[in-house]
Amino acid sequence: MGKNAVMVDEIPFPSEFMMNTKPLPLMGHGITDIEIHFLQIKFTAIGVYLDPEIVSHLQQWKGKTGAELTENDEFFEAIVNAPVDKFLRVVVIKEIKGSQYGVQLESAIRDRLAEVDKYEEEEEEALEKIVEFFQSKYFKKDSVITYSFPATSATAKISSTIEGKEDSEIEVTNANVVEMIKKWYLGGSRGVSPTTISSLANNLSAELS
């Protein structure tokens, strides 16, 4: 990673990531955490890599501040829907069983789908496969989970890298499930990581001006 790494909570993230032979810059980063009795427990660090072309799809928000964009869910809806390559890199800070992570993902996606009446048998099957993919894994600190969302199709590739284990990946082909995975991480006020959302808003605000 060398000198071009950005530190996110003491974890290095490359400043860009190659996807489909195109470099995607790190456009936002943050953590997922919880506070229990005034004690902050951090779970993961997150890096969001986006094709710079995304700016051309966000022109109507030109001139808005990062703070204004952070509060604007329509802006994040436009990020989710923009037809550009997107890549998420999630690094584990506090070790977690894959089954736990899978269930968190599943319940968040299922709830979002149910809200908009898009939770049918196909979605259930797609989610079951994702849960199965995570089921037997154990994510030690510094394990990496990545999500690739190509511009050209409504699919996602989820991969995991755990020290001492072979990398593994799964493709998700259900467009509704893919959309909600994007929204889980990039969904504005309902995104899983508020720090990532505000970082994205501030950086894109700067890009747009």
Side-chain angles (χ1 to χ4, degrees), residues 84-171:
V84 301
D85 287 338
K86 306 175 184 84
F87 181 81
L88 302 175
R89 183 173 186 264
V90 180
V91 182
V92 175
I93 297 173
K94 183 176 170 50
E95 52 187 47
I96 184 174
K97 287 181 182 153
S99 55
Q100 280 175 286
Y101 179 83
V103 165
Q104 283 172 13
L105 179 89
E106 179 194 32
S107 61
I109 305 307
R110 190 181 50 219
D111 292 351
R112 285 163 188 263
L113 287 168
E115 268 173 41
V116 291
D117 282 336
K118 285 183 177 174
Y119 187 62
E120 305 289 339
E121 237 170 85
E122 292 89 345
E123 284 72 30
E124 192 179 349
E125 276 171 27
L127 276 176
E128 273 170 16
K129 280 186 188 151
I130 296 172
V131 170
E132 223 168 87
F133 172 74
F134 285 116
Q135 190 66 41
S136 59
K137 296 177 171 41
Y138 189 82
F139 293 114
K140 299 182 282 197
K141 185 174 167 19
D142 296 329
S143 300
V144 179
I145 302 161
T146 64
Y147 296 85
S148 316
F149 304 103
T152 46
S153 71
T155 61
K157 209 172 258 168
I158 307 176
S159 79
S160 78
T161 305
I162 301 169
E163 194 194 338
K165 302 263 188 239
E166 234 174 83
D167 290 6
S168 57
E169 67 174 39
I170 180 178
E171 187 162 24

Side-chain angles (χ1 to χ4, degrees), residues 174-186:
N174 182 295
N176 290 331
V177 169
V178 169
E179 180 193 358
M180 294 308 174
I181 295 174
K182 287 181 196 169
K183 286 187 173 174
W184 194 43
Y185 275 110
L186 305 172

Side-chain angles (χ1 to χ4, degrees), residues 31-33 46 112 183-188 190-194 197:
I31 58 167
T32 56
D33 65 341
I46 299 165
R112 285 163 188 263
K183 286 187 173 174
W184 194 43
Y185 275 110
L186 305 172
R190 293 187 59 197
V192 69
S193 165
I197 294 301

Side-chain angles (χ1 to χ4, degrees), residues 39-54:
L39 190 69
Q40 186 193 28
I41 298 170
K42 299 171 186 175
F43 296 112
T44 61
I46 299 165
V48 179
Y49 296 82
L50 301 171
D51 185 331
E53 252 175 53
I54 195 157

Side-chain angles (χ1 to χ4, degrees), residues 66-80 112 115 182-201:
E68 286 172 313
L69 293 177
T70 299
E71 303 295 317
N72 189 321
D73 282 353
E74 280 176 26
F75 174 71
F76 287 95
E77 185 84 19
I79 292 174
V80 166
R112 285 163 188 263
E115 268 173 41
K182 287 181 196 169
K183 286 187 173 174
W184 194 43
Y185 275 110
L186 305 172
S189 63
R190 293 187 59 197
V192 69
S193 165
T195 46
T196 303
I197 294 301
S198 74
S199 164
L200 259 180

